[in-house]
């Protein structure tokens, strides 16, 4: 956030500075200025701003001259300077050449300023040499870190020579003010000629040997309205003779200034008399060239000759040995690539990495890279260009890669024909992952990988599969499930190449740690048995995936999955005759490991279930011992319910089932004997009546109830004989040897203690059946009514 806030404040400050100058200038309708970067022109009056064209977002530079800078001079002088400046820009706009600064928007004038737009530039040569008038303060870091390399100077001077050749021979034009302030360095590091404020046109442009009219320096005119005296040729200043050699002398002084911290050998300080004395000294003594490199001293001494005939012309200058350098030739060749055919360019690109090893990184980044990117519009040349682009990237910082390279690579990532293009990207994937931001990896590099998996090329597929695991951490869940894994699985199933299929399995194994458990269970495990090949290499790959899944902590594969999905697939493989002994040992060890895991897990589960089953009856028996009466009644009720549904005590069914499942008949019979021994003790037989929310019925006369019950029992025993089943029932319940009084008590308990509201539905139905049967018996047989005396006899 601090960086963003700092950038925002910088832009705000810049815009506030421009708001006082540019609002009335028509340039602002089409161009947006963002940052003040440099200065150029006579007296460094032109402020240079970086910017862009609003309609196309095309980068540009905006040259701005604020008229208020001239307020300290008289109106005449101001008008003269402005007139000269406007003439120079107008002439610059008409010239079109690679070594001449390109104008994108013509000069526009407002009340406060003059402005025009050009190609993106870095600064002027004067700024590089230490002259910082009208530059941003503090000095930008770019200027502090910028230094001219030998290749910069060699190729820059060569470009200036080429520009003068064009002006002298094609445009029939003399510059007349070639100095560091009028040499512009663009963003790629190319040197461009600027500042045609004092240029002179030929009087006979059609003639092969053009001539120019004489020119005279005016003492009464402001120095900024005339050429710089420090770079003015002696024959022009003293003899008013305009020839091509004038510009060659200026070029010689400029070369001397480059090696002399931006200063000419003799300074006139805008004074005409001083200039004349300096020229006389040059005539008598050649300037000291000890600071100049050895290879340039002799040509420079000729250029600084007082006699114009002794100077080198532009053609001779371009042929000096100083320019016979492999770096200069390389840069020159790159600037003229459009002239060569594909075969010549391919041969050049093959040897370019060896040349770039000898060049500074800034030259490769700013000068070579833009030329390489331009040639990528031809897909046929991309396989030859792309390795050189990645060579430049190897020495880039992350910021340099993002600002200079990444945006150039994005369109190339979408090119899949020829297949060498994605193959080169895959080979350099480690470098891309190191330099590219994560968001660009997700938006551009990953889609390229997905598309690469679908290409019908074995080397490309194998390389892609080996690269994918390194990017797995950047693949989100939906993309992994819906984009990446389906393509790998499809390739594994459809390919006929064994190595590609094995690579797919290896890739899946490496991706396991990045997958969710459910994705493995739903996609990976069901997919492995679908692989058609039974080749040992494929089997080993499958085993490797299984081993990774089983050993990974977060997977936690269940015994059901192993028993139902994995083992039925692996066990038939154990009898494959194509396996070697070592491969068989690996296979069988994994199978045994899975079987052991299933056995251990399932045995533990069964033991746990058995312990639970034992715990239930033990707890119930313990409860029976502590509450013997309740347990006895429950057992009795269960026995009675088997033959007589109207007799049931709640809660006994579960106990009976548990007893029948855990003990054999002998133990059960012994348990019954023990129960009845306990029953014969002094425990009162108290039936448990289920709780009901209804109100208790009104109390009855117990004496009358007992009498009625005994009468009914006697009548029933006389009318209905017990059947075999009823006898067996009574025996099974242990009633055959019990006193009649006990049986009567139990029967009385049954008739008087339970109501239909307290019985289950099935027992209620049984009770109804007994009532109907009793009614029918009364209808068929007439029972003699007992008298009071009979009843008393029975009671006694």
């Amino acid at each position: 956030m601090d960086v963003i806030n700092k950038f925002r404040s910088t832009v705000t400050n810049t815009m506030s500075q421009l708001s006082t100058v540019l609002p009335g200038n028509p340039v602002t309708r089409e161009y947006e200025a963002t940052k003040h970067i440099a200065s150029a022109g006579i007296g460094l009056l032109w402020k240079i701003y970086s910017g862009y064209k609003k309609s196309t977002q095309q980068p540009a530079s905006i040259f701005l001259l604020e008229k208020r800078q001239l307020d300290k001079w008289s109106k005449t002088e101001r008008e003269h300077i402005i007139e000269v400046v406007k003439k120079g820009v107008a002439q610059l706009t008409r010239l079109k050449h690679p070594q001449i600064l390109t104008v994108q928007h013509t000069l526009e004038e407002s009340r406060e300023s003059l402005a025009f737009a050009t190609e993106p530039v870095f600064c002027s040569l004067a700024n590089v040499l230490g002259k910082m008038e009208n530059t941003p303060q503090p000095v930008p870091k770019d200027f502090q870190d910028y230094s001219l390399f030998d290749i910069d100077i060699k190729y820059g001077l060569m470009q200036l020579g080429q520009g003068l050749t064009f002006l002298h021979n094609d445009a029939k034009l003399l510059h007349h003010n070639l100095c560091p302030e009028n040499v512009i360095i663009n963003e790629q590091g190319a040197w461009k000629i600027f500042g045609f404020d004092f240029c002179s046109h030929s009087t006979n442009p059609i003639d092969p040997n053009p001539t120019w009219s004489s020119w005279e320096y005016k003492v009464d005119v402001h120095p900024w309205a005339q050429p710089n005296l420090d770079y003015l040729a002696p024959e022009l200043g003293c003899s008013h003779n305009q020839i091509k050699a004038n510009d060659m002398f200026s070029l010689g002084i400029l070369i001397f200034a480059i090696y002399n911290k931006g200063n000419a050998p003799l300074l006139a300080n805008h004074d005409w008399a001083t200039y004349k004395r300096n020229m006389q000294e040059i005539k008598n003594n050649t300037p000291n060239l000890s600071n100049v490199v050895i290879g340039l001293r002799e040509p420079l001494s000729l250029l600084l000759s007082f006699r114009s005939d002794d100077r080198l012309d532009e053609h001779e200058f371009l042929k000096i040995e100083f320019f016979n350098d492999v770096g200069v030739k390389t840069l020159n060749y790159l600037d003229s690539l459009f002239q060569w055919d594909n075969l010549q360019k391919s041969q050049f690109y093959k040897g370019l990495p060896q040349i770039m090893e000898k060049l500074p990184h800034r030259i490769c980044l700013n000068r070579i890279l833009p030329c390489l990117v331009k040639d990528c519009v031809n897909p046929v040349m991309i396989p030859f260009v792309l390795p050189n682009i990645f060579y430049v990237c190897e020495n880039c910082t992350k910021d340099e890669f993002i600002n200079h390279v990444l945006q150039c690579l994005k369109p190339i990532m979408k090119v899949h024909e020829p297949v060498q293009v994605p193959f080169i990207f895959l080979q350099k994937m480690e470098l891309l992952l190191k330099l590219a931001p994560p968001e660009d990896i997700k938006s551009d590099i990953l889609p390229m990988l997905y598309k690469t998996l679908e290409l019908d090329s074995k080397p490309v597929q194998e390389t892609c599969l080996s690269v994918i695991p390194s990017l797995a951490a950047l693949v989100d869940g939906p993309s992994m499930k819906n984009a990446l894994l389906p393509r790998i699985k499809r390739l594994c199933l459809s390919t006929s190449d064994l190595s590609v299929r094995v690579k797919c399995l290896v890739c899946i194994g490496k991706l396991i740690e990045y997958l969710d458990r459910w994705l493995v269970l739903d996609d990976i495990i069901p997919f492995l048995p679908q692989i058609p090949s039974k080749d040992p290499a494929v089997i080993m790959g499958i085993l490797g995936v299984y081993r990774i899944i089983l050993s990974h902590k977060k997977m936690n594969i269940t015994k059901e999955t192993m028993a139902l999905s994995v083992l039925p697939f692996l066990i038939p493989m154990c009898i494959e005759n194509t396996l070697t002994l070592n491969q068989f040992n690996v296979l069988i060890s994994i199978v045994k490991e899975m079987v052991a895991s299933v056995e251990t897990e399932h045995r533990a589960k069964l033991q746990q279930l058995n312990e639970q089953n034992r715990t239930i009856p033990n707890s119930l028996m313990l409860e029976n011992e502590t509450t013997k009466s309740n347990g006895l009644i429950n057992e009795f009720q269960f026995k009675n319910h088997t033959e007589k549904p109207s007799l049931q005590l709640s809660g006994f069914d579960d106990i009976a089932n548990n007893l029948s499942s855990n003990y054999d008949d002998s133990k059960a019979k012994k348990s019954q004997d023990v129960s009845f021994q306990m029953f014969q003790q002094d425990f009162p037989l108290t039936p448990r009546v289920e709780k009901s929310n209804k109100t208790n019925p009104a109390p009855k006369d117990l004496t009358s109830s007992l009498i009625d019950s005994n009468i009914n029992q006697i009548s029933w025993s006389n009318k209905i004989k017990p059947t075999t089943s009823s006898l067996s029932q009574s025996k099974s319940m242990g009633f055959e040897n019990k006193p009649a009084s006990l049986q009567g008590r139990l029967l009385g308990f049954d008739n008087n203690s339970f109501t239909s509201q307290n019985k289950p539905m099935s027992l209620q139905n049984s009770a109804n059946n007994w009532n109907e049967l009793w009614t029918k018996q009364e209808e068929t047989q007439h029972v003699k009514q007992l008298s009071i005396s009979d009843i008393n006899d029975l009671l006694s």
Side-chain angles (χ1 to χ4, degrees), residues 407-683:
Q407 298 304 320
C408 303
L409 290 179
K410 286 184 177 181
I412 307 176
M413 291 179 186
K414 300 177 182 179
V415 179
H416 297 95
E417 292 294 337
V419 294
Q420 289 86 351
V421 176
F423 185 68
I424 295 173
F425 273 108
L426 294 174
Q427 290 178 323
K428 298 295 182 179
M429 189 58 61
E430 182 180 356
L431 180 62
L432 287 175
L433 296 180
K434 174 184 174 182
L435 299 175
E439 56 271 16
D440 290 295
I441 294 175
K442 295 179 180 179
S443 62
D444 296 282
I445 297 178
L446 288 179
M448 179 195 69
L449 287 179
Y450 301 155
K451 184 66 177 178
T452 303
L453 283 173
E454 300 174 355
L455 298 178
D456 188 16
S457 173
K458 174 185 172 182
V460 173
Q461 292 172 345
E462 290 182 346
T463 308
C464 184
L465 290 170
S466 63
V467 164
I468 286 175
S470 60
L471 295 113
L474 298 173
V475 182
D476 54 18
S479 299
M480 180 70 75
K481 180 178 180 180
N482 302 321
L484 183 57
L485 279 181
R487 284 178 168 85
I488 297 176
K489 290 161 59 178
R490 191 182 309 120
L491 177 61
C492 186
L493 296 176
S494 62
T495 184
S496 59
D497 190 273
L498 178 62
S499 61
V500 173
R501 182 167 287 151
V502 173
K503 285 279 187 180
C504 290
L505 293 171
V506 173
C507 180
I508 292 175
K510 293 180 179 179
L511 292 178
I512 293 297
E513 61 177 311
Y514 302 100
L515 302 182
D516 184 75
R517 177 175 180 268
W518 297 110
L519 186 59
V520 173
L521 294 177
D522 295 340
D523 284 7
I524 302 301
I525 292 180
F527 157 71
L528 295 176
Q530 301 174 8
I531 300 175
S533 176
K534 301 298 181 183
D535 190 274
V538 177
I539 295 176
M540 291 298 103
I542 295 173
L543 292 178
V545 176
Y546 278 135
R547 182 172 291 280
I548 293 174
I549 294 175
L550 292 175
S551 61
H552 205 285
K553 295 181 180 179
K554 72 176 182 179
M555 293 305 157
N556 192 21
I557 303 302
T558 62
K559 61 183 178 62
E560 289 81 8
T561 302
M562 287 188 283
L564 299 177
S565 300
V566 182
L567 287 174
F569 170 60
L570 290 182
I571 290 177
M573 289 185 179
C574 295
I575 59 174
E576 287 289 336
N577 295 328
T578 56
L579 296 175
T580 64
L581 181 59
N582 291 334
Q583 292 171 344
F584 174 77
N585 291 335
V586 173
L587 174 58
I588 204 67
S589 65
I590 293 179
V591 172
K592 288 181 179 180
E593 181 181 344
M594 291 186 182
V595 171
S597 178
V598 172
E599 178 186 1
T600 302
E601 187 175 348
H602 197 60
R603 177 178 283 109
K605 182 175 182 180
L606 293 177
Q607 290 176 352
Q608 183 180 4
L609 292 175
N610 290 336
E611 291 176 359
Q612 291 177 355
N613 292 336
R614 292 175 183 173
T615 304
I616 294 175
N618 291 337
S619 61
L620 291 175
M621 291 296 293
L622 180 61
E623 181 180 357
N624 287 339
E625 292 177 359
T626 56
T627 58
K628 294 180 180 180
S629 60
N630 291 338
L632 180 60
I633 292 171
N634 289 339
E635 181 181 355
F636 170 75
Q637 288 178 342
F638 171 75
K639 293 294 183 178
N640 194 25
H641 175 64
T642 57
E643 281 298 320
K644 190 174 181 179
S646 61
L647 295 177
Q648 180 182 3
L649 296 180
S650 62
F652 194 77
D653 291 338
D654 295 336
I655 300 174
N657 292 333
N658 290 330
L659 290 173
S660 62
S661 63
N662 289 285
Y663 299 98
D664 55 11
D665 295 339
S666 62
K667 291 183 180 180
K669 185 174 181 181
K670 183 177 180 180
S671 175
Q672 291 179 3
D673 296 338
V674 173
S675 300
F676 273 98
Q677 290 176 6
M678 296 170 59
F679 181 81
Q680 291 174 350
Q681 295 178 3
D682 296 335
F683 294 103

Side-chain angles (χ1 to χ4, degrees), residues 104 117 246 370 477 522 732 774 776:
Q104 295 182 358
N246 300 155
D522 295 340
S732 64
W774 179 262
K776 290 180 181 180

Side-chain angles (χ1 to χ4, degrees), residues 131-181:
K131 297 183 179 180
M132 294 298 177
E133 291 85 352
N134 261 346
T135 57
Q137 298 297 328
V139 178
K141 188 174 183 298
D142 294 340
F143 285 164
Q144 297 176 2
D145 297 339
Y146 194 93
S147 59
L148 292 175
F149 297 110
D150 287 341
I151 185 65
D152 284 318
I153 298 173
K154 289 180 180 180
Y155 194 60
L157 293 177
M158 184 177 181
Q159 288 176 315
L160 294 180
Q162 293 172 347
L164 291 176
T165 301
F166 164 75
L167 293 176
H168 295 167
N169 299 288
D170 298 328
K172 305 296 192 296
L173 192 69
L174 298 181
H175 190 278
H176 268 179
N177 196 30
L178 188 63
C179 59
E181 291 81 356

